[in-house]
Amino acid sequence: MKAGAHMFFSSAVILSLVSVPPLAALPIQDQEEEQEEPKTYSDVITDDTETDEGVFDVHRTDEVLLFEIPDSLLGRDMLLVSRIAKVPVGFPGFSPAGVKTGEQVLRWERQADKILLRTISYSNVADDTLAVSISVEANNFGPIIAAFDIEVEGEDGNSVVIDVTEFYEADTPALTGLSSTQRDQYEVRRLDPDRSFINYARSFPLNVDVRHTMTYEAGDAPAQARTGTMSMEMHQSMILLPKEPVRPRYADPRVGWFSVTRTNFGLDEQKAAQQTFIRRWRLEPSDVQAYARGELVDPVKPIVYYIDPGTPEQWRAYVKQGVEDWQAAFETAGFSNAIIARDPPSPEEDPEWSGEDVRYSVVRWAANETRNAQGPSVSDPRTGEIIESDIVWYHNHMRSYRNRLMVETGAANPLARSLDIPEELMGETMRQVIA
């Protein structure tokens, strides 16, 4: 064929040049995907799984952490208390080890084949028998902070098993120990998943505790900045709140109480009225009839403060006295032995005891240079019932009182006329501050 000549082919010619197998020879594909066999309980909870039983069972297999939540606890109020168990060098003075960084009411809910974790607020309320309660619910919709696939149903069919590993190992906003201001201050870029992990998880009759390490890449870490890193240990206590809340007591503005305040839209007032309840311990007489007769009785459950194991030996007796000085005040309310100070159990006596466990109130000794003391507490936001309390004594607070004793009392007290104040005088001063 000459160059430039046009080439024309009919469709029949093109077809004849392409090898096309007959239809019968084409492979037939199965349109039905192979169905995975559903997991069984023994597939998930194996012989290698370590289980800790409690309010709900905690399962650990290698690095995987599973919660087995009974159906009866779905929809129940639980209080999540977050604490920094170990702080980095140079961290803010008012954020010592053991400090509470978050407190929120949570509910586990089931949605089809998922379990949702939702935060609940009690800042706006109304009695559920009133029509306005419908509007209160609609205008206070709680955020869902996490969602989990159901790995398997429990053996008895009355529980669900979920994988919470990533919830605790990731930089979950609801669990973090760093505020947005601190993230900016330390130039935090990200949480490093390779250096962040779960230390342990334990379950108790009324609470579940998880300790986890969080390591951040930080351009301006509070100390050892050349590493570009800061690490902290977080302790999460999730406690089951009473199904029947304690009866609240109204606050009196003439008396100094810590309190909780809520807006109650169901009150018969021509406004959205507020209620303020005092924060108070649940002290119940062990002998109701004797208590009614005006006799002193022990409470069913006394208030117990444990002394931080890190407290220097020479000061422990004074710290205990400062706590138990309140016994006289409780006696006027009809209770004997209402408040007690104890040393914590040894690891041999109770290997699972932890000062960060929300079941224990602790007088904490903070080894930093802050010159102060404080007394925060955790309470049921529905009623003000105190669940646990922490007194924090900062090591360098001794410097403040040594100086004040010398300047303010030295003219009248020969023992307070030097920088080396006798241990007995400093101990008595510490006792008063703790009280």
Side-chain angles (χ1 to χ4, degrees):
M1 185 176 295
K2 294 182 181 180
H6 295 285
M7 300 172 63
F8 296 96
F9 296 93
S10 70
S11 59
V13 174
I14 294 174
L15 286 174
S16 68
L17 297 176
V18 180
S19 175
V20 179
L23 293 177
L26 289 174
I28 300 175
Q29 305 222 351
D30 187 359
Q31 300 300 321
E32 295 183 1
E33 295 183 0
E34 185 178 348
Q35 296 292 324
E36 267 189 42
E37 289 290 329
K39 291 180 182 178
T40 64
Y41 189 81
S42 58
D43 292 332
V44 178
I45 311 300
T46 68
D47 293 338
D48 297 327
T49 300
E50 296 181 1
T51 297
D52 196 16
E53 298 179 350
V55 62
F56 46 78
D57 292 351
V58 170
H59 305 289
R60 193 90 186 265
T61 306
D62 297 327
E63 301 304 315
V64 177
L65 177 61
L66 305 172
F67 283 175
E68 183 170 349
I69 305 174
D71 293 347
S72 60
L73 294 186
L74 297 179
R76 283 285 303 273
D77 286 351
M78 302 191 77
L79 185 67
L80 176 64
V81 180
S82 301
R83 298 184 186 279
I84 308 179
K86 294 184 180 180
V87 299
V89 177
F91 210 59
F94 283 98
S95 297
V99 71
K100 180 179 65 177
T101 60
E103 186 178 324
Q104 52 197 314
V105 179
L106 305 174
R107 284 181 190 162
W108 298 95
E109 301 174 349
R110 181 162 187 168
Q111 177 67 32
D113 59 351
K114 289 185 179 293
I115 295 295
L116 309 179
L117 188 58
R118 186 190 301 275
T119 61
I120 303 297
S121 171
Y122 281 96
S123 58
N124 297 313
V125 300
D127 190 294
D128 58 11
T129 62
L130 302 175
V132 73
S133 66
I134 301 172
S135 181
V136 170
E137 181 182 3
N139 286 281
N140 292 273
F141 192 57
I144 298 169
I145 62 174
F148 308 89
D149 291 329
I150 295 176
E151 299 292 317
V152 70
E153 302 277 350
E155 282 188 303
D156 55 6
N158 296 325
S159 61
V160 291
V161 178
I162 59 174
D163 186 342
V164 296
T165 311
E166 186 176 353
F167 180 64
Y168 288 101
E169 289 187 344
D171 195 9
T172 304
L175 304 180
T176 184
L178 289 178
S179 66
S180 57
T181 301
Q182 290 169 336
R183 288 173 183 265
D184 292 340
Q185 177 184 354
Y186 302 132
E187 298 178 11
V188 173
R189 292 187 289 273
R190 71 180 188 111
L191 182 80
D192 185 353
D194 293 328
R195 293 178 287 166
S196 302
F197 49 87
I198 296 171
N199 298 62
Y200 62 74
R202 298 168 182 164
S203 189
F204 303 96
L206 292 176
N207 61 296
V208 171
D209 285 9
V210 178
R211 177 80 68 94
H212 57 116
T213 295
M214 307 182 81
T215 299
Y216 296 93
E217 292 180 0
D220 188 18
Q224 300 166 306
R226 290 181 60 187
T227 64
T229 294
M230 58 181 295
S231 297
M232 60 175 58
E233 277 191 18
M234 294 296 299
H235 191 101
Q236 315 290 342
S237 280
M238 192 177 297
I239 181 170
L240 183 65
L241 292 175
K243 196 169 187 178
E244 293 295 331
V246 70
R247 181 180 180 181
R249 176 173 290 181
Y250 287 102
D252 187 326
R254 298 170 296 176
V255 183
W257 295 94
F258 290 112
S259 59
V260 295
T261 300
R262 67 185 190 181
T263 300
N264 191 336
F265 288 87
L267 298 179
D268 189 17
E269 299 187 31
Q270 295 179 344
K271 63 177 183 178
Q274 288 191 330
Q275 293 175 312
T276 301
F277 302 137
I278 65 172
R279 295 189 181 196
R280 63 180 181 130
W281 296 93
R282 185 191 288 231
L283 282 181
E284 300 169 320
S286 55
D287 186 334
V288 178
Q289 294 179 345
Y291 185 79
R293 292 193 300 267
E295 300 175 19
L296 284 179
V297 298
D298 288 352
V300 173
K301 181 181 179 183
I303 303 165
V304 178
Y305 277 94
Y306 289 90
I307 308 305
D308 189 333
T311 304
E313 291 286 346
Q314 70 266 37
W315 306 123
R316 292 189 179 190
Y318 299 106
V319 171
K320 288 182 179 179
Q321 287 174 348
V323 172
E324 295 186 349
D325 279 345
W326 276 90
Q327 288 188 355
F330 282 104
E331 286 174 0
T332 64
F335 290 101
S336 54
N337 302 309
I339 184 165
I340 302 168
R342 292 178 182 165
D343 288 317
S346 66
E348 292 73 27
E349 293 170 329
D350 186 354
E352 293 191 334
W353 190 92
S354 169
E356 282 67 53
D357 188 335
V358 77
R359 294 178 299 165
Y360 305 121
S361 296
V362 179
V363 183
R364 300 179 180 276
W365 191 277
N368 66 35
E369 297 183 4
T370 301
R371 294 159 64 174
N372 214 316
Q374 58 182 349
S377 64
V378 173
S379 62
D380 187 336
R382 305 171 302 177
T383 62
E385 177 189 353
I386 296 175
I387 297 170
E388 68 89 45
S389 166
D390 291 285
I391 299 168
V392 181
W393 173 276
Y394 295 89
H395 188 94
N396 215 27
H397 206 27
M398 288 187 287
R399 176 181 177 180
S400 299
Y401 278 90
R402 180 202 63 186
N403 294 351
R404 291 186 63 182
L405 285 168
M406 183 174 63
V407 173
E408 298 175 13
T409 72
N413 185 356
L415 297 177
R417 292 176 183 171
S418 71
L419 292 177
D420 186 15
I421 290 177
E423 182 178 305
E424 183 178 351
L425 179 57
M426 177 57 72
E428 178 62 23
T429 305
M430 185 181 298
R431 170 185 176 181
Q432 299 299 330
V433 177
I434 294 295

